[in-house]
Amino acid sequence: MRTTASFDLFPDAPSERAMARARWLAREGRVGDAERAYRDVLAAQPELKQCWAEYFDLLRRNGKSDDALRVADGCAAQFADDAFSLTLRGAALIELSRFREAITTLERAMERDPDLAIAWHELGVAAYKLGDRTRAALALDRAFALEPHSETLLLRGRVMRDAGRYQAAEVAFEGAAQAAEHQEQRDIAEGEINVTRRHAFYAPRKPEDLEPAERWFAETGAPVLATAPATLAPTDDVLVAAFLELASDCGWRFGQLVTLGPSLAAWDRLAAGLGAPRVERSAFDPGACPLVAALRPLGRDAEWDTLAAALGEHAQGLAFVLEHPAEATAAADLVGVLTDGGVRRQRAPQVAHALAEAQHPAARFAGRRLRLA
């Protein structure tokens, strides 16, 4: 649902004060406590539709789809299957991937109230999930006309982007950023703008037509060195040589090489090729334009997260991994090769391709200093 974004529109209303604790707990990530708080409010004020919506939204955002459906059913029992409760049920069915059933339920909601914006919004979601971009766009346009909201613009932007209409998508995301009530919403919209600009780099191809490594860059902003088909997966030495070629072409000059995780012979060759000393984690200097390298992202490793964050905070240096799981969230600025189930893809480095992506103004490390003063 797209209700919790309006937390402070009417902060003095009694209903808003009643839900203040539940909202605070939700924002703090204390999901279980927030659930109990919302249930307490509903026990005292079961007629409070905003509370039903926010409680449902909390469950939905945290992947509790079955619980969300039960809340929708409870809402229907309270309000006798009105348009609002039917919309909640339709949204719950979307989360359970029962898209056609969701559309039927949402159509029933709109029969009861054709001007309920959230019903049109959720219809847009269901149509989008089914791949019906035309119906999704029409439903979202109707939702926005009834109730302008940044979440509707965000979804419309994604629909346009998937259709390859990148300029229209960027306009929608810019509108969402301007309409945002909270910084978190603004950050999401600005991130979507960058994703759209990276997809537009490959125009006129649509996102579905991109190669896996191209799609990875478009979604994450991290170039992948190994993109050309090959009969064998690239070795560490091949990936290091490709990185050195890319660094030379880009004019990168690092002041130190900090390696984490397993010690590899390739790191000595990387340090020699860069002409930079290989140092321990304790000698990391964010002002020395460091290159932080690892075999693969170290998951929840505190050292990796700390150093990667420091690179961004100081706007200099680069995080590089030889391999990165294709199914994981990007945790490095530059990737040697993507892996599937821990196995490197049979791809060969294509430095010219990576060079073009590395110079893109929306690359993950755009704006950083990558040349030692």
Side-chain angles (χ1 to χ4, degrees):
M1 304 298 287
R2 51 183 179 80
T3 53
T4 52
S6 303
F7 276 179
D8 52 11
L9 290 182
F10 306 103
D12 296 326
S15 62
E16 299 294 307
R17 292 198 295 272
M19 292 184 288
R21 183 171 184 275
R23 289 169 169 173
W24 178 79
L25 291 168
R27 289 177 71 86
E28 291 294 307
R30 295 168 58 181
V31 177
D33 291 337
E35 287 182 44
R36 285 186 286 274
Y38 276 121
R39 286 197 295 269
D40 289 344
V41 175
L42 289 174
Q45 302 182 60
E47 75 288 350
L48 199 56
K49 286 187 174 181
Q50 181 75 10
C51 189
W52 285 100
E54 291 185 17
Y55 182 24
F56 176 91
D57 187 42
L58 176 73
L59 297 170
R60 184 187 205 181
R61 284 186 287 107
N62 286 280
K64 298 186 175 184
S65 304
D66 291 327
D67 291 340
L69 181 59
R70 281 191 286 271
V71 168
D73 290 340
C75 184
Q78 174 66 31
F79 298 107
D81 264 354
D82 69 352
F84 172 73
S85 60
L86 283 169
T87 299
L88 282 191
R89 180 171 179 80
L93 292 171
I94 290 172
E95 297 307 306
L96 293 168
S97 299
R98 293 158 61 179
F99 304 126
R100 297 192 183 281
E101 189 177 348
I103 288 176
T104 300
T105 303
L106 292 166
E107 288 173 338
R108 288 174 56 205
M110 288 180 286
E111 288 173 1
R112 286 164 170 75
D113 184 356
D115 294 330
L116 185 60
I118 187 63
W120 286 98
H121 176 92
E122 293 298 338
L123 179 62
V125 175
Y128 176 58
K129 297 282 189 180
L130 271 176
D132 189 345
R133 296 178 188 136
T134 299
R135 187 173 190 184
L138 291 173
L140 294 171
D141 287 346
R142 175 65 173 158
F144 191 78
L146 290 166
E147 184 184 330
H149 200 284
S150 61
E151 288 297 323
T152 300
L153 286 174
L154 281 175
L155 183 54
R156 192 181 195 284
R158 292 173 186 134
V159 172
M160 294 296 105
R161 186 171 65 209
D162 284 359
R165 296 178 57 187
Y166 300 121
Q167 186 173 4
E170 188 169 337
V171 169
F173 291 131
E174 287 175 346
Q178 293 169 8
E181 294 284 343
H182 303 285
Q183 185 60 45
E184 294 94 329
Q185 294 172 292
R186 197 168 295 110
D187 291 342
I188 291 172
E190 290 172 353
E192 293 286 5
I193 290 171
N194 284 332
V195 171
T196 302
R197 289 174 177 171
R198 291 192 294 264
H199 273 99
F201 176 69
Y202 303 109
R205 286 184 292 163
K206 299 177 182 178
E208 64 192 23
D209 299 325
L210 300 183
E211 294 294 325
E214 293 173 332
R215 192 176 303 115
W216 173 268
F217 172 72
E219 294 293 337
T220 70
V224 180
L225 290 172
T227 61
T231 55
L232 296 174
T235 64
D236 293 352
D237 286 341
V238 167
L239 294 173
V240 164
F243 180 89
L244 291 172
E245 183 180 348
L246 177 64
S248 176
D249 291 345
C250 291
W252 297 342
R253 298 290 184 273
F254 299 101
Q256 59 179 203
L257 171 64
V258 184
T259 59
L260 300 177
S263 181
L264 305 174
W267 296 147
D268 293 328
R269 286 186 278 277
L270 180 58
L274 294 172
R278 181 182 174 188
V279 302
E280 298 295 325
R281 155 70 180 98
S282 57
F284 171 76
D285 179 4
C289 194
L291 173 64
V292 179
L295 173 60
R296 64 181 67 89
L298 303 179
R300 296 184 179 274
D301 184 272
E303 284 192 328
W304 177 265
D305 292 342
T306 299
L307 297 192
L311 298 176
E313 290 169 5
H314 290 81
Q316 62 177 307
L318 196 72
F320 169 59
V321 292
L322 292 176
E323 61 182 44
H324 195 298
E327 66 276 8
T329 302
D333 301 315
L334 186 67
V335 175
V337 63
L338 296 174
T339 63
D340 299 302
V343 179
R344 292 183 181 182
R345 293 179 175 176
Q346 293 181 338
R347 295 278 162 171
Q350 194 172 12
V351 177
H353 188 86
L355 175 62
E357 294 177 339
Q359 295 174 333
H360 193 285
R364 184 183 173 98
F365 46 87
R368 288 194 208 166
R369 185 164 65 85
L370 296 173
R371 186 180 180 89
L372 184 64

